Amino acid sequence: MADELRAEIVSQGDRVLDRVVEFEIRSRRDIVYAGDQDAALESNVFARENLVGARHFGTPKETLEYALSLAPQGGMALEFGVASGNTLRAIAGARGGREVYGFDSFDGLPEAWLNGMPAGAFARDDLPDVPGAELVVGLFADSLPGFLEQHPGHVDFLHVDGDLYSSAKTVLDQCGPRLRAGSIVHFDEFFNFPGWKRHEYRAWTEYVERTGVEFDYVAYTYNDNQVTVKITKP
């Protein structure tokens, strides 16, 4: 019994030492870890300057549910970046399956996004089943103009989940004129990852500067990437 206990203590000690060495190496030389740390610090500055008073949540699911609860009714709910369909199902459920549309090429990212996420990442061979929502298949720039011509109503809920600056810019440029006071724009990769200032954040800040739209930041996920905006004056 004593020998077994001694062996277990030695084994646990070895595991602890391995973890200490792993953390030491990670903190000194792991560039992915360093990038995450830098992004968190930059995002903390942004939060202190812009998100005071906004609701914060511990999971993307909670933030999305809150964002959906704020959106007005009667107009369309559009998601850009469907992937597996999980968030589109949540949107369709919250909106009662009325005027809910999900846009995606399902061919993956049209260009590289982050380290380890080249063009083609997130591609699917099949279309997800999303009851209560209609899928619009194709690149946003190709599918959105024709869709908007055929659907003249307001956009009450806009979920920007295309990751890339180019995708977010296309969505905001074309859907922005359909937003009204009270409309919700929910960004899925707004901040808190390496390079965040070059993508959805950049597209949004440029759109605001170009159009003069007035808005409030109303919610965010404090340990993830989501930020929710409420339009106050289109």
Side-chain angles (χ1 to χ4, degrees):
M1 187 67 179
D3 290 342
E4 292 178 0
L5 180 59
R6 187 178 300 109
E8 178 62 23
I9 292 172
V10 170
S11 177
Q12 290 185 10
D14 289 343
R15 287 196 293 271
V16 170
L17 179 60
D18 288 344
R19 298 290 82 76
V20 170
V21 172
E22 178 184 330
F23 178 77
E24 189 272 337
I25 292 173
R26 186 182 186 195
S27 64
R28 286 194 300 114
R29 296 189 299 180
D30 188 326
I31 60 175
V32 174
Y33 175 75
D36 287 343
Q37 292 295 99
D38 288 345
L41 291 171
E42 291 177 342
S43 301
N44 177 54
V45 172
F46 175 84
R48 289 202 314 266
E49 294 177 350
N50 297 278
L51 301 181
V52 174
R55 292 281 302 273
H56 68 240
F57 299 91
T59 67
K61 180 177 181 291
E62 291 174 297
T63 312
L64 176 63
E65 289 173 348
Y66 180 70
L68 285 164
S69 76
L70 299 177
Q73 298 289 329
M76 295 183 290
L78 309 182
E79 175 176 78
F80 291 87
V82 174
S84 64
N86 287 335
T87 55
L88 188 59
R89 291 185 194 97
I91 294 168
R95 304 288 294 182
R98 293 185 296 273
E99 297 279 4
V100 178
Y101 303 91
F103 294 73
D104 204 310
S105 70
F106 299 101
D107 291 329
L109 294 172
E111 60 190 73
W113 179 37
L114 307 177
N115 290 339
M117 294 187 182
F122 311 124
R124 293 177 57 93
D125 294 327
D126 60 330
L127 300 185
D129 180 29
V130 187
E134 180 179 332
L135 299 180
V136 183
V137 180
L139 293 173
F140 303 159
D142 296 335
S143 62
L144 190 49
F147 173 87
L148 291 174
E149 286 182 4
Q150 298 173 14
H151 299 78
H154 292 295
V155 175
D156 287 342
F157 187 83
L158 183 63
H159 187 204
V160 182
D161 191 7
D163 306 331
L164 300 163
Y165 164 77
S166 57
S167 298
K169 184 178 187 305
T170 296
V171 170
L172 292 170
D173 285 349
Q174 298 197 37
C175 294
R178 300 292 188 88
L179 299 172
R180 57 175 167 166
S183 291
I184 296 296
V185 183
H186 184 69
F187 294 95
D188 199 64
E189 279 84 26
F190 190 86
F191 71 164
N192 203 21
F193 63 89
W196 61 273
K197 290 184 177 179
R198 298 196 299 269
H199 292 288
E200 291 177 5
Y201 166 83
R202 175 187 169 194
W204 174 246
T205 54
E206 289 180 352
Y207 177 76
V208 170
E209 291 172 359
R210 183 170 65 254
T211 64
V213 62
E214 297 179 13
F215 66 95
D216 293 325
Y217 289 112
V218 293
Y220 64 101
T221 313
Y222 61 79
N223 58 0
D224 212 288
N225 314 126
Q226 297 74 33
V227 170
T228 306
V229 167
K230 182 177 181 178
I231 304 299
T232 57
K233 185 177 179 181

